[in-house]
């Protein structure tokens, strides 16, 4: 089939590893790149319940962000970012169920609705409902308001780590232990569907590419470890069109730190301007996972036959062999930001903080700047099972307003601005 772009392209900037405030420097011994700089606009610890924060998302108009919570009672947090220098919590919507993790949150395309994933925990003591599934939160769609949200419904999915709302259809995708769950959300109070598509394996995350009608999927095991591309020209009927299997390739234990391994496929995202995809591996302990660049039509690769052409680890990657080094140097979630001739991948790289990689040459991704997201760390309750801040979780770019939101498990929300080049010594 032919894939065409229907949506506006993203536009934004890169960064360089320089020494500005809490920014950390990594040398570029070849001197061949000095692309991109990161600048903090604002930060908030928010209400800081115990247990730490998780994924973030930005509403399409760039006026609100949301954060999830990982192990504590915090639930989900709506944040007013209309003034990016002063992100302000509008509500904390606690979880009523003991031990439930809301690792992911996503806005619906309709104003006033968002979703939060549910996994783990005990039955809801108010309803005796099973703890898993997805909460549909009304913060202005019907009965709720931004200050006083209500739960519109519970989607009866299984233990759900990540969710993804289609930006052009009333469809929600969920991670299932045997594929991609698909839900019709046209009535948010009575979500239907639940059919599962794709490999019968553990799906960890997925990203919608609306311009090409594709779903980029990271399968992390349980029958298949690797990157899968699905055609979603019919959003309710995903169909696999391409895959790259990690089977038989070197794992991270087989290679030195910094060399390319293939293990625990964790996150996949797309380049909005070029026929490229970016796939991250997450290793919690031992040798850390890195990020791959895949050719899906840029060169010899294709959607049907994705080919890895570039690779990088986080700037200070090393073996994680101490208890408090859990996840420290492995990569996590990221977004792709093209601006002019420079394309950047901005990542929440746990103990590295927010890291910017210049991927203008996809065969040679290079870290160019980072910000250690440890503001107010001495005041944070945070997530007790990981080490000290920074522990940056993820990144989302607001193309409408040209800034980026980063969540840190320990220290809350950050708003950053990126520029595509920086002067030496900045």
């Amino acid at each position: 089939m032919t894939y065409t772009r229907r949506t506006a392209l993203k536009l934004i900037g890169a960064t360089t590893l320089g020494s500005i405030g809490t920014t950390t420097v990594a040398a570029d011994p070849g001197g061949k790149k000095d692309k991109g700089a990161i600048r903090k606009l604002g930060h908030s610890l928010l209400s800081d319940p115990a247990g730490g924060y998780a994924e973030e998302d930005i509403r399409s108009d760039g006026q609100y962000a949301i954060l999830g919570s990982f192990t504590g009672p915090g639930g989900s947090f709506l944040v007013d970012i209309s003034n990016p220098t002063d992100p302000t919590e509008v509500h904390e919507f606690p979880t009523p169920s003991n031990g439930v993790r809301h690792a992911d949150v996503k806005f619906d395309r309709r104003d006033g609705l968002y979703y939060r994933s549910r996994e783990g925990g005990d039955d809801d003591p108010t309803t005796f409902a099973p703890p898993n599934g997805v909460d549909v939160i009304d913060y202005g769609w019907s009965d709720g308001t931004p200050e006083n949200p209500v739960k519109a419904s519970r989607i009866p999915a299984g233990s759900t780590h990540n969710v993804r709302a289609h930006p052009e259809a009333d469809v929600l995708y969920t991670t299932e232990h045997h594929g991609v769950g698909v839900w019709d959300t046209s009535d948010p109070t009575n979500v239907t569907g639940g059919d599962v598509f794709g490999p019968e394996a553990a799906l960890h995350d997925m990203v919608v590419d609306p311009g090409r009608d594709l779903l980029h999927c990271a399968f992390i095991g349980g029958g298949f470890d690797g990157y899968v591309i699905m055609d979603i020209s019919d959003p309710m009927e995903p169909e696999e069109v391409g895959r790259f299997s990690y089977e038989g390739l070197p794992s991270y234990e087989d290679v030195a730190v910094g060399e390319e391994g293939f293990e625990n496929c964790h996150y996949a995202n797309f380049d909005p301007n070029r026929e490229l995809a970016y796939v991250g591996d997450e290793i919690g302990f031992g040798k850390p996972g890195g990020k791959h660049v895949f050719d899906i039509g840029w060169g010899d690769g294709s959607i049907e036959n994705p080919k890895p052409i570039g690779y990088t680890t986080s700037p200070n990657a090393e073996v994680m062999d101490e208890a408090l080094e859990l996840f420290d140097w492995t990569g996590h979630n990221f977004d792709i930001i093209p601006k002019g001739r420079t394309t950047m991948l901005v990542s929440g790289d746990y103990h590295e903080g927010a890291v910017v990689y210049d991927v203008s040459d996809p065969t040679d991704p290079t870290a160019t700047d980072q910000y250690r997201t440890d503001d107010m760390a001495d005041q944070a309750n945070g997530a007790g099972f990981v080490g000290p801040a920074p522990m940056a979780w993820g990144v989302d770019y607001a193309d409408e307003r040209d800034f980026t939101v980063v969540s840190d498990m320990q220290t809350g929300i950050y708003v950053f601005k990126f520029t595509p080049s920086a002067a030496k010594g900045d």
Side-chain angles (χ1 to χ4, degrees):
M1 79 183 288
T2 300
Y3 298 97
T4 59
R5 294 187 53 75
R6 297 197 315 265
T7 54
L9 299 176
K10 293 184 178 179
L11 309 165
I12 152 170
T15 62
T16 66
L17 282 113
S19 181
I20 312 171
T22 57
T23 309
T24 305
V25 180
D28 177 11
K32 61 181 177 177
K33 291 188 179 183
D34 187 32
K35 299 280 188 171
I38 186 169
R39 176 166 61 91
K40 185 183 76 173
L41 299 177
H43 165 254
S44 176
L45 190 57
L46 303 177
S47 51
D48 189 34
Y53 299 102
E55 187 66 284
E56 78 302 314
D57 193 33
I58 302 176
R59 202 169 74 176
S60 60
D61 62 3
Q63 298 298 308
Y64 285 103
I66 40 174
L67 271 67
S69 62
F70 196 64
T71 59
S76 51
F77 307 83
L78 182 69
V79 185
D80 182 348
I81 54 172
S82 57
N83 177 1
T85 68
D86 184 27
T88 303
E89 183 174 308
V90 180
H91 73 236
E92 175 190 347
F93 194 1
T95 179
S97 303
N98 182 38
V100 168
R101 300 185 300 276
H102 300 289
D104 199 11
V105 285
K106 290 292 182 290
F107 283 107
D108 189 76
R109 70 190 186 111
R110 295 160 288 187
D111 286 350
L113 290 171
Y114 69 80
Y115 305 96
R116 64 183 190 186
S117 63
R118 302 175 60 97
E119 58 184 341
D122 301 327
D123 289 355
D124 187 329
T126 62
T127 64
F128 301 104
N132 298 316
V134 179
D135 290 334
V136 184
I137 306 300
D138 171 1
Y139 70 99
W141 176 76
S142 179
D143 298 331
T145 67
E147 295 77 15
N148 293 290
V150 298
K151 188 182 297 184
S153 65
R154 169 89 66 81
I155 299 173
S159 182
T160 306
H161 187 63
N162 286 304
V163 298
R164 186 68 59 166
H166 196 295
E168 298 175 0
D170 296 332
V171 174
L172 184 74
Y173 301 107
T174 59
T175 56
E176 305 293 337
H177 294 299
H178 55 298
V180 181
V182 183
W183 303 86
D184 180 346
T185 61
S186 52
D187 179 357
T189 67
N190 183 31
V191 175
T192 59
D195 291 341
V196 177
F197 299 83
E200 292 190 9
L203 176 63
H204 187 268
D205 214 337
M206 65 260 129
V207 173
V208 174
D209 178 352
R212 303 179 182 92
D213 284 326
L214 297 176
L215 192 67
H216 299 266
C217 303
F219 281 84
I220 205 163
F224 179 76
D225 189 4
Y227 169 46
V228 171
I229 305 173
M230 304 191 78
D231 169 19
I232 52 170
S233 51
D234 180 348
M236 289 293 295
E237 298 278 342
E239 179 182 357
E240 182 179 329
V241 290
R243 67 164 64 187
F244 180 90
S245 174
Y246 285 8
E247 184 177 2
L249 297 175
S251 71
Y252 287 96
E253 284 304 309
D254 296 330
V255 299
V257 173
E259 294 181 1
E260 188 169 29
F262 295 89
E263 184 182 358
N264 282 10
C265 184
H266 176 272
Y267 192 73
N269 208 336
F270 64 96
D271 191 312
N273 284 2
R274 304 177 294 175
E275 303 305 307
L276 297 167
Y278 306 86
V279 176
D281 301 336
E282 182 188 66
I283 307 292
F285 204 68
K287 295 178 183 177
K291 298 175 181 65
H292 312 274
V293 183
F294 275 84
D295 175 355
I296 58 171
W298 180 81
D300 295 332
S302 65
I303 289 169
E304 296 75 19
N305 184 27
K307 293 186 176 181
I309 58 171
Y311 176 76
T312 186
T313 55
S314 63
N316 299 294
E318 61 183 54
V319 175
M320 302 170 293
D321 54 5
E322 302 288 342
L324 288 181
E325 290 182 330
L326 188 68
F327 294 105
D328 273 5
W329 309 112
T330 198
H332 206 230
N333 297 349
F334 49 83
D335 207 355
I336 291 78
I337 304 170
K339 201 168 194 178
R341 291 180 296 176
T342 302
T343 301
M344 292 148 292
L345 184 153
V346 184
S347 184
D349 275 354
Y350 285 128
H351 202 52
E352 299 274 24
V355 181
V356 184
Y357 301 86
D358 183 350
V359 292
S360 305
D361 176 357
T363 68
D364 185 24
T366 304
T368 60
D369 202 6
Q370 68 188 116
Y371 186 96
R372 291 181 56 81
T373 50
D374 57 3
D375 297 25
M376 301 176 68
D378 59 339
Q379 303 175 42
N381 282 310
F385 69 99
V386 291
M391 286 301 290
W393 181 285
V395 173
D396 196 33
Y397 171 61
D399 55 355
E400 287 288 324
R401 303 191 63 203
D402 192 19
F403 57 63
T404 300
V405 162
V406 173
S407 62
D408 186 286
M409 296 179 73
Q410 310 285 34
T411 60
I413 188 171
Y414 295 78
V415 184
F416 292 113
K417 177 80 171 180
F418 297 91
T419 53
S421 62
K424 293 289 185 180
D426 280 1

